[in-house]
Amino acid sequence: MANAITRQDFLFELGTEELPPKALKSLSQALEKEVVNGLKELFGKQAADVFSDTTVNSYAAPRRLAIVINNLADEVPSSTFMMQGPPARIAFDADGNPTKALEGFARKCSTTVDQLEDVDGKMSFRQELPAKAISKELPSIVEQALSKLPIPKRMRWGDSRTEFVRPVKWLVMLLGDEVIDCEILGLKSGRVTRGHRFHYNQEIELNNANEYLENLESVGKVMADFEERREKIRAQVIAEGELIHGIAQIDEDLLDEVTGLNEWPVALTGRFDQRFLDVPSQALISSMKEHQKYFHVMDNSGKLMPFFITIANIESTDPQQVIHGNEKVIRPRLADAAFFFETDKKRTLESRIDDLNNIVFQKDLGTLHDKAVRVAALAKHIAATLGQDESKAERAAMLAKTDLMTDMVFEFPDLQGLMGYHYALNDGEDEGVALAQNEQYMPRFAGDVLPESEPGIAVALADRLDTLTGLFGINQPPTGSKDPFALRRASLGILRIIVERKLDLDLADLIQVAADNHNDLPARKGIETKVTDFMLERFRAWYDDEGIAVEVYLAVHALKPTKPLEFDQRVQAVSHFRTLSEAQALAAANKRVSNILSKQDSEVGDSVSEALLQEDAEKALAKAVAAKQSELAPLVAAGDFKSVLEQLAELRPTVDTFFDDVMVMADDESVRNNRLALLKQLRNLFLGVADISALS
């Protein structure tokens, strides 16, 4: 079928005022997705054949969104559509007249009874759908795609009621060399695009859709391909860094943003005064990045160099003038950062503690000062539990949010914590207390580094636990996709710190202390269980990312151990056990034992009477279980769950023989109860690690 279809190239381009640079990439991707979905829906079952030789490319630059589809079928092929109605056996009455059911079906199909046919016992209507030109369908597909773009707030302009992310200026719609006659967003379609605002601020007439990229770049000085433009900027920035014997630092989000700001990118290097390097480097980097969209440069030892790399949207005949202009602009920005730094240092962090009373953390949970007091108490408890310096943990926690009251952090919020570290050192605070000011926010995101200092670990845990407990305590846990306080991320951070730093901490204990630190929590009752369950549930995604089977997680979660480090040790042990040849049979046996025990009307005893053992197989199992109870106790106490399960795997032949040779539900009640007690002891050996029955 595909060979019989005539194919042409399709071009859609929407010209606009400058689009939001941070959203440009997502807008372009969404446009491509929605147009392709619209076409697939149009072609229906024939889409796979029709699209077999078709390629789709989307383009995005500051003043345009475009999509080019090569080898697009220029018509939707004819097809046959079959509608099924009532069964043939009830379609006619005894006299051969059509029933009401059949007449109703004919009306639904807008046809007459004589046009219906019996197909496999069903009265059916065969409808021939004629071929239709794709040019007639494309405008509505594009219009629908534009309406579905992820635009949080659309704008209007002039006296028009048309809405889009930015005012629209021109519209190109070509199928091959023909203009698709239509109107979209108030614009009449044509074949005229426009070049670079400065290099070629003129119209460019396109004779054919396939001329788009080449003419736009060679004539109009516009690189429409977002990815190509992005990689050109990357290469230029790296090369500029090498010219000054440095290493240009490329932030991927910043790279996307400057790609969205430039149609014809040219990288240029400027410099700033050496004296500004006395300011913490991250403050200078934030100023350059946030305000000017500059890339910074490090030397081989990782120190900031007094240079910046900017991306100009013009190939200047006098690039030095462009550089000079950027240097002139950045100077006062960096001077502001230096001024904030020197001014902030005139007050200690300690002197700012009372200022925290002026900021509300959450209306039901008090001010930042209230939170600091709670976090300090919990951090002290954590330090004591771990045998660390309690006073340093408490001190670090009381100072932890004070840098929010500084001018530097007010101007550059992303520097919170880091500036606290610098100001704490300036105040003469202990090194660990200073490190904790920055480490309290670690890990900031998935895969981020963890706090290393003892006070930093205590504060990072205490801060998150206080927030979790407080919000659950006022009945504001996350719901669905809504998690305004990022409690899921906070939980993962806590679990990572405890597991990866190998801390012997119990969540239930920490949550109880955290809850007791609050004056009034309406949902205080049972909060230890609620928050612990919520946090342990985060392990599920964690282990899924590690490629550990969900049944392994469920086997451990069934026991709900509240120590994250122990939880992880059990999971790793079960994951290893699962690879052993004995695992499946023992899991099935555990499942069988669990089912037998659960069906008993009364509580099964714990002790086994040797005198009541009759069969050789049950005597062997009782002896093996008794031996393992003694051997495994020290291993369980030491948390060596892997060795525990490896030793339990040795029981497989004894267990198999027991079930082959022994009737558990014996007629003699005392014998039966003795055998049930033996099975209970066997199951409890495994439950010392996990519910192995979950693996079967």
Side-chain angles (χ1 to χ4, degrees), residues 256-307:
D256 278 344
E257 188 173 358
V258 296
T259 303
L261 285 167
N262 296 276
E263 291 182 316
W264 194 256
V266 178
L268 301 169
T269 301
R271 64 179 304 143
F272 54 85
D273 295 345
Q274 187 86 19
R275 65 184 175 89
F276 290 126
L277 294 179
D278 293 337
V279 178
S281 60
Q282 195 58 47
L284 303 180
I285 293 168
S286 289
S287 184
M288 289 187 282
K289 175 183 170 183
E290 298 299 324
H291 294 302
Q292 304 304 132
K293 314 305 175 190
Y294 294 162
F295 296 93
H296 62 284
V297 185
M298 298 290 202
D299 63 19
N300 289 326
S301 64
K303 293 182 178 179
L304 182 66
M305 298 176 70
F307 296 96

Side-chain angles (χ1 to χ4, degrees), residues 91-99 102-103 113:
F92 298 93
D93 61 21
D95 298 326
N97 298 314
T99 62
L102 186 63
E103 290 176 338
V113 170

Side-chain angles (χ1 to χ4, degrees), residues 29 107 209 360 365 457:
Q29 292 171 338
R107 285 195 300 273
V360 174
L365 299 176
I457 289 171

